[in-house]
Amino acid sequence: MELKVKGEQKELDLKKNMGVSCLDSGENMEKYDYSELGLKAGLEIHQQLDSKEKLFCRCPTLIRDTGEANFEFFRYLRATESEMGEKDRAAVEQTKIRRKYIYKAYDTTCLIENDEEPPRGMNREALKISLGVAKLLNMKPVDQMHVMRKIVVDGSNTSGFQRTAFLAGDGVIETSEGPCGIDSLCVEEEAAQKIEEIGDSIVYSLDRLGIPLVEIATAPDIKSPRHAREVAEQIGMILRSTGKVKRGLGTIRQDVNISIAEGARVEIKGVQALDLIEDIVRREVERQLNLLFIRQELLERNAFVCEEIYDATGLFVDTKSKVLQKGVKKGAVLAALLREFNGLVGREVQPGRRLGTEFSDRAKTAGVGGLFHTDELPNYGITEQEIQALRDAIGAGPADAVIMVADETEKARLAIEAVITRAKEILQGIPEETRKALPDGNTAYMRPLPGAARMYPETDVPQIEISHEYYNSIETPELLTERAKRFVSEFGLNMELAEKVAYSKDLPLFESLLEPYKKDAIVNATLIARTLVGLIPELRRSGVETENLSEEHFKGLFAAISTQEIAKEAIQDLLTALAKEPELNAEEAISQLGLSAFDPAEIENFIKEMVREKGDFIKEKGPAALGPLMGIVMKEYRGKVDGKILSHMLKQEIDSFMDQG
Amino acid sequence: MEFKQGDRVRIEKNGTVYEGKVMPSMEGYVALKMKSGYNAGFSVDEVRITLLESEEREKDANKAGVKECKPRAEEAASRSGKLPKVAILSTGGTIASKIDYRTGAVSSQFTADDILTAIPELKEIADFKGRVISSILSENMDQESWQNLAKAVVEEIKAGAEGIIVTHGTDTMMYSAAALSFMIDTPVPIVFVGSQRSADRPSSDNAMNAICAACVAVSDIAEVSVVMHGTTSDEYCEIHRAAKVRKMHSSRRDAFKSVNSLPIGTVDYETREIKTLIDYTKRGEKTLQFKPGMESKCAIVKFIPGADPAVLEHYINAGYRGLVIEGTGLGHVSTKWIPNIQKAVAAKIPIIITTQCLNGRVCDRVYDTGRDILKAGAIEGEDTLPETSLVKLMWVLGQTDDFETALKMLKSNLSGEVTACTLG
C-alpha cells in the first residue's frame, strides 16, 4: 500500500501542477483502478413513502409553507445514556454546544410531532409499502418487528431520537457488475426540515417530521463510482415501481459509505442528486489517498502534535486584522503547535479543500466560525511580523505549523482541542466519520460515526408480527423497466417514449387516459404519451401553467379528438387555453377557441374555389401541384382539421379537375 | 438449543444468518439485538440457534460490564459546605426512570445520585444529599406512602436541610403535595418535581424541571410547591402552590396548572431567576410542625345526571368517614340525593360540595337545590379543587374525631387551598 501511495504521488503532483481534478478525466476513463485501491462502497437510500398518514401519528404527510406555521416553540437536547449505560459518541460531540432548537408547527401537525404525546401504533399502510419494497429487493423479512429509538441530537427530531424498525435483510439485486447484496431495509420516521440557523439556534419545520421513510442499505459490494450510480438508479427505479413513494426534490436521499484499503469507513450523508454519486465516490477516494500521502510525509518528517494550548491573545491586542480584533474582544486567541507540519496544512485533499479545511471543520463543531493556519498566512490583515512574534512566543520553528482560533474563550478552547484531536488522527490514518455531501461533490465533516449505543427499544410502540401469510399476500408491482417493455410490445410505443412514460410521475394518468382508447383508430398510446411527456414539459418551459390541467381536461381533449370534433393539431392550443382558464371544460374551450371541426361542405367549397383559381398552375404541374396547394389549405385549416383529411380532399379535387380537363 | 437472555447467539433462518444478543422475548419468538443496534424477533420454530458466547463469559471478558442500578437506602453526595444543603428524596416516577437494558422497558430504578450524575448543573445550585424513599409508580402510592414521605421530609429538615426536593411520578403528584402541605408546617421550601417525558430521552423535561426545582428549594418560598414546565417550550417553570395545583393534561410538559389561583411564581431556565406573582410564606416564617394523621376511608363521588342516590348510601353503609361530592355547575346534585346527604350528616359523615367545573367557586345559595344541599348539612368547598378537598378531609379526620371540630376545620383555609377572592 505504501508503494501504491508513492506511485500515486507522481500522479497527484502532476494533477496538482496542472490544476486539474480527477473529475476532468475522460468520460469512459476512471482516474484510479478502484479494485486495486480496495474500494469498498455501499449505499444507504432513504425514500419517503407516499402514505396518507405519518408513521406514528394520524397527521397527513403534507409539506407546508413555513409561512403557514401557526405555532412555535423551542427546546434543548441532552445526550443521554443508552440502555447499556453508554453515551453515543456522536451525541456527546453534538451536545458540546448548547443549541436552542426552534420548531414551527402547523394545523397539520399534532402533539406527537411536538414530542408532547406518546406515538400511536405504526401506520400499516407504510408497513405494507415497505414490505412490498423488501419483496422486490428479494429480501427476507423478520418474523417480529421491533421499533427502536435511534439517538439523534441535532434537533431534527423533537424527541432526540428517530423511531426506526428493521424489517428485512439478505436481499440482492442484479447489476451489470454482478449481484449487489441488500443488507437491510428499515422503515423509519423522516426528520424535521431545517429552515435556518440563527447564531446557536436552529429553526426546524415540523411538517416533514414523521413522514414514513424506507432506508435501504446495500452490502459493500459496489465496485466503482459508476457502479454506485447504477445501483442507486436501480433501487430508485424499484422504489418508484411501487407507485407509493413521494416524488420531487428531497424525497429521496442517498448516503454513501466508502473506504479504501488502509483508509477508513466514511459515511457521506445527504446526496440529493443521482448525478452527484459518482463524483462523491471519486472525490472521497481522492481525499483518503491524499490524506494517506500527507500522513506518509508527516511520518517521514517525524512530525508530532503538541498537547498544549497557547494563549496568544496578548500578541494581537493591537492587531490591524479585523477578524482577530473581533476575537480578542470576544475572549481569546488560542493557538496549537503542530511540529513539522509546515506546508502540509495547506495541502489540498480535495479540489479547493485542504488539510486545514479538515481542521477547520472540526473546530466548527465547537461553534466557532473557523481558524487560521500558518500555511495561509500572512493574510486576513495578519502581518508577517505578527506571525513571527507568534512563532517566537510559542517556540515554533520554520518547519512547524501553528493553528489559531479567535472567539469566546470557552468556544476557542473547545475548537483548538478539536483541532489537536484531528491533527493527531492524521498521524494514525484516516478517521472513521460521518461527513456531509457538498453540492460540488466534495464532503465536509459532520460528526463521528455513531455506534450501536445510539439505539434502544421504543417501548411505547408494540411489536408487530409479520406472518408468512401476510408477507405472501403482499402483491408486488410490475417493475418500471418491465412496464416500459410492455408498453413497447402492447401499444407500439418506441422504447424511448415508453421509458419516459413509465418513469414519469404521470404514469397513472397515462394509464387511465389510455384505458378507453386501447383499440381507437385516432387516439393511441403514442399520442397520449407524446402529449404527457413531450408536449406538456414543452408548454411548461414556455411559461404555460400546466399544473392547472386536470385529468378531466385531458379526458375531454382526447374524447374530442377521438370523435373527430377537433384535429390532433389543436392539442397545443386547447391545452394552453385550458391551463389559462382551468374552470372551463374541454368542450367549452373548444367552442371558445373556434376549434370545432369545420363543416366538410365548407372545406369542400374552399378547396373547389382554390382549385378553380389555380387552374393554370394545376394544368402546368399536374399531380405535383398537390404540395404547393396543400400549403394554402393548411394555412387556412392548420390545427383545426386533420392534415390527412385535407390532403385527401385536395387530391380528390385536383384529380377531378384534371379529369374534367 | 440452550440459551438465555443476554447470551450472544447466531440465528439461521432459511439460509439467512443473524448474530446478536438475546433480548427479552415474547412467547414463541427470540428477540435479538444485532450489531447495528436494531432488535428484531424471530419465530423460534423456524430458526436454528447456535450459542456463541454466554452472558457470564462475556461479562468476564468485559470487566467494565453494565452499571448496576439498584436503589440504595441512603447515599451521600459530596458536601462542600458552601452551598445551601438540599435533600433530594426520590419516590420513583418518570424523572427518575431509566432504560432497563434487559427488558428495554423504562423503569423507575434510578437514584438521587443518578439524577446528580445525569444533571451536573444541579451541583452548582446546592449541596445535595440523596435519599430513596420508594421506587414505585405514583399510581401505586397510598396514604401510608404520603405519611412515610412526610416523615422523611421532616427528618431531613430536622437534620439541617435548607430545602427539600421530592421527585415524584406526575400522575398523583398533586395528591402527595397537597397531603404534605396539610401535614407539615414547614420553615423551608418543599418542592415536588417530576417529568412528563422519560429521562432516557434527549428531549426529557427532567433536567429543566430539576434545575428549576433546585432554584426554588434554595429560595425563600417556604411552601410545599410543585415545579414543572410552564409552557411546551424549555423556557420557564411554574411554581404551583400544592393545594391549588392540578394535572390538567395527560401528556404535555406543561400539564400542571394552578386552578383558581396564579402560580406562586416562575423560574427562568436560562437565568434561573425566580419571579413571584402572589404572596407566599417566607423561609423561617413558620416553625416546623408535623401532624401526620390521615383517614383513608374517604371518597370523591362524582354526580352525573340520573345518578342513583343509592351511590351515597353505599359509602355510608360501607363505613366511609367523609365524602367529597363533585357537583355540577355551582355545586349541585339532583334533589333525589338530598335525603341521603341528610342521612350522611346525621351519621356524622362530613360532606364537602365541590364543582366538576374545577374552575370557579361553589355557591349553593343561588338555586333551590343548592339551598337544600346546605340545609341538609353539606359544606361548600369554596374554590378548592375536589382532589385537594379530599386530601384535606382525610387529614382533618385524621386529626380529630369530633364532628363539630372537623366541620370547623374543613370550613377554614388550612394550606392556601381557599382563596379569598376568585381569580378573574
PDB file of all heavy atoms in Angstrom, chain A residues 621-632:
ATOM      1  N   LYS A 621     -48.477  21.839 -63.664  1.00  0.00           N
ATOM      2  CA  LYS A 621     -47.722  20.946 -62.769  1.00  0.00           C
ATOM      3  C   LYS A 621     -48.274  19.524 -62.714  1.00  0.00           C
ATOM      4  O   LYS A 621     -47.557  18.596 -62.312  1.00  0.00           O
ATOM      5  CB  LYS A 621     -47.716  21.501 -61.342  1.00  0.00           C
ATOM      6  CG  LYS A 621     -46.975  22.817 -61.213  1.00  0.00           C
ATOM      7  CD  LYS A 621     -45.493  22.592 -61.012  1.00  0.00           C
ATOM      8  CE  LYS A 621     -44.773  23.930 -60.916  1.00  0.00           C
ATOM      9  NZ  LYS A 621     -43.348  23.780 -60.704  1.00  0.00           N
ATOM     10  N   GLY A 622     -49.552  19.373 -63.048  1.00  0.00           N
ATOM     11  CA  GLY A 622     -50.144  18.032 -62.903  1.00  0.00           C
ATOM     12  C   GLY A 622     -50.259  17.665 -61.422  1.00  0.00           C
ATOM     13  O   GLY A 622     -50.398  18.548 -60.561  1.00  0.00           O
ATOM     14  N   PRO A 623     -50.153  16.358 -61.118  1.00  0.00           N
ATOM     15  CA  PRO A 623     -50.327  15.898 -59.726  1.00  0.00           C
ATOM     16  C   PRO A 623     -49.336  16.573 -58.780  1.00  0.00           C
ATOM     17  O   PRO A 623     -49.581  16.667 -57.583  1.00  0.00           O
ATOM     18  CB  PRO A 623     -50.036  14.396 -59.806  1.00  0.00           C
ATOM     19  CG  PRO A 623     -50.251  14.043 -61.251  1.00  0.00           C
ATOM     20  CD  PRO A 623     -49.909  15.243 -62.071  1.00  0.00           C
ATOM     21  N   ALA A 624     -48.179  17.053 -59.283  1.00  0.00           N
ATOM     22  CA  ALA A 624     -47.185  17.694 -58.421  1.00  0.00           C
ATOM     23  C   ALA A 624     -47.685  19.011 -57.836  1.00  0.00           C
ATOM     24  O   ALA A 624     -47.063  19.585 -56.944  1.00  0.00           O
ATOM     25  CB  ALA A 624     -45.903  17.952 -59.204  1.00  0.00           C
ATOM     26  N   ALA A 625     -48.838  19.488 -58.316  1.00  0.00           N
ATOM     27  CA  ALA A 625     -49.400  20.726 -57.779  1.00  0.00           C
ATOM     28  C   ALA A 625     -49.902  20.523 -56.349  1.00  0.00           C
ATOM     29  O   ALA A 625     -50.096  21.477 -55.607  1.00  0.00           O
ATOM     30  CB  ALA A 625     -50.553  21.215 -58.664  1.00  0.00           C
ATOM     31  N   LEU A 626     -50.100  19.252 -55.977  1.00  0.00           N
ATOM     32  CA  LEU A 626     -50.680  18.941 -54.666  1.00  0.00           C
ATOM     33  C   LEU A 626     -49.894  19.611 -53.528  1.00  0.00           C
ATOM     34  O   LEU A 626     -50.482  20.257 -52.655  1.00  0.00           O
ATOM     35  CB  LEU A 626     -50.704  17.419 -54.449  1.00  0.00           C
ATOM     36  CG  LEU A 626     -51.321  16.956 -53.120  1.00  0.00           C
ATOM     37  CD1 LEU A 626     -52.801  17.275 -53.042  1.00  0.00           C
ATOM     38  CD2 LEU A 626     -51.093  15.470 -52.901  1.00  0.00           C
ATOM     39  N   GLY A 627     -48.595  19.474 -53.578  1.00  0.00           N
ATOM     40  CA  GLY A 627     -47.774  20.005 -52.489  1.00  0.00           C
ATOM     41  C   GLY A 627     -47.986  21.487 -52.251  1.00  0.00           C
ATOM     42  O   GLY A 627     -48.420  21.896 -51.161  1.00  0.00           O
ATOM     43  N   PRO A 628     -47.672  22.327 -53.223  1.00  0.00           N
ATOM     44  CA  PRO A 628     -47.831  23.769 -53.038  1.00  0.00           C
ATOM     45  C   PRO A 628     -49.256  24.153 -52.637  1.00  0.00           C
ATOM     46  O   PRO A 628     -49.456  25.001 -51.760  1.00  0.00           O
ATOM     47  CB  PRO A 628     -47.492  24.354 -54.404  1.00  0.00           C
ATOM     48  CG  PRO A 628     -46.651  23.317 -55.067  1.00  0.00           C
ATOM     49  CD  PRO A 628     -47.108  22.001 -54.550  1.00  0.00           C
ATOM     50  N   LEU A 629     -50.255  23.488 -53.256  1.00  0.00           N
ATOM     51  CA  LEU A 629     -51.652  23.855 -52.948  1.00  0.00           C
ATOM     52  C   LEU A 629     -52.006  23.450 -51.503  1.00  0.00           C
ATOM     53  O   LEU A 629     -52.766  24.129 -50.818  1.00  0.00           O
ATOM     54  CB  LEU A 629     -52.606  23.200 -53.938  1.00  0.00           C
ATOM     55  CG  LEU A 629     -52.492  23.750 -55.359  1.00  0.00           C
ATOM     56  CD1 LEU A 629     -53.545  23.106 -56.254  1.00  0.00           C
ATOM     57  CD2 LEU A 629     -52.652  25.271 -55.397  1.00  0.00           C
ATOM     58  N   MET A 630     -51.406  22.341 -51.068  1.00  0.00           N
ATOM     59  CA  MET A 630     -51.667  21.873 -49.702  1.00  0.00           C
ATOM     60  C   MET A 630     -51.241  22.960 -48.700  1.00  0.00           C
ATOM     61  O   MET A 630     -51.886  23.160 -47.665  1.00  0.00           O
ATOM     62  CB  MET A 630     -50.872  20.577 -49.456  1.00  0.00           C
ATOM     63  CG  MET A 630     -51.193  19.890 -48.157  1.00  0.00           C
ATOM     64  SD  MET A 630     -52.906  19.338 -48.054  1.00  0.00           S
ATOM     65  CE  MET A 630     -52.994  18.989 -46.299  1.00  0.00           C
ATOM     66  N   GLY A 631     -50.151  23.659 -49.064  1.00  0.00           N
ATOM     67  CA  GLY A 631     -49.676  24.738 -48.199  1.00  0.00           C
ATOM     68  C   GLY A 631     -50.759  25.778 -47.968  1.00  0.00           C
ATOM     69  O   GLY A 631     -50.959  26.265 -46.848  1.00  0.00           O
ATOM     70  N   ILE A 632     -51.458  26.102 -49.033  1.00  0.00           N
ATOM     71  CA  ILE A 632     -52.518  27.124 -48.907  1.00  0.00           C
ATOM     72  C   ILE A 632     -53.644  26.610 -48.015  1.00  0.00           C
ATOM     73  O   ILE A 632     -54.144  27.307 -47.133  1.00  0.00           O
ATOM     74  CB  ILE A 632     -53.057  27.497 -50.314  1.00  0.00           C
ATOM     75  CG1 ILE A 632     -51.902  28.090 -51.156  1.00  0.00           C
ATOM     76  CG2 ILE A 632     -54.217  28.480 -50.198  1.00  0.00           C
ATOM     77  CD1 ILE A 632     -52.268  28.279 -52.627  1.00  0.00           C
TER      78      ILE A 632
END
